[in-house]
Amino acid sequence: MGIQEVPYSLRLEPQVMEKIRVLAKQEHRSINKQLCVAVESYLKAYEKEHGEISVEEEG
């Protein structure tokens, strides 16, 4: 799991946050981990449809 260097404040609509909270509880995950899983799933689906997203390696 990657470590984010600069914290990012994520603002979600209350209803969306409550749905994430329900899913996290069902999956026995923290809200943070549930959000990570959701983002990773979205990226995987996006890349499947549009091709790999290239990012520059730091360093």
Side-chain angles (χ1 to χ4, degrees):
M1 176 172 72
I3 297 175
Q4 186 173 346
E5 291 183 27
V6 179
Y8 181 82
S9 178
L10 179 64
R11 296 179 190 101
L12 298 171
E13 295 294 326
Q15 187 177 21
V16 172
M17 187 61 196
E18 191 56 34
K19 289 179 180 185
I20 294 293
R21 189 181 318 277
V22 168
L23 290 177
K25 187 174 181 179
Q26 287 177 356
E27 299 293 326
H28 306 286
R29 294 184 178 120
S30 67
I31 292 171
N32 183 71
K33 186 60 179 177
Q34 187 66 36
L35 288 167
C36 289
V37 168
V39 170
E40 289 167 4
S41 176
Y42 171 79
L43 290 171
K44 184 176 179 180
Y46 182 93
E47 288 183 323
K48 184 176 181 179
E49 184 175 340
H50 300 282
E52 186 175 347
I53 301 168
S54 64
V55 294
E56 292 185 23
E57 295 291 326
E58 291 187 32

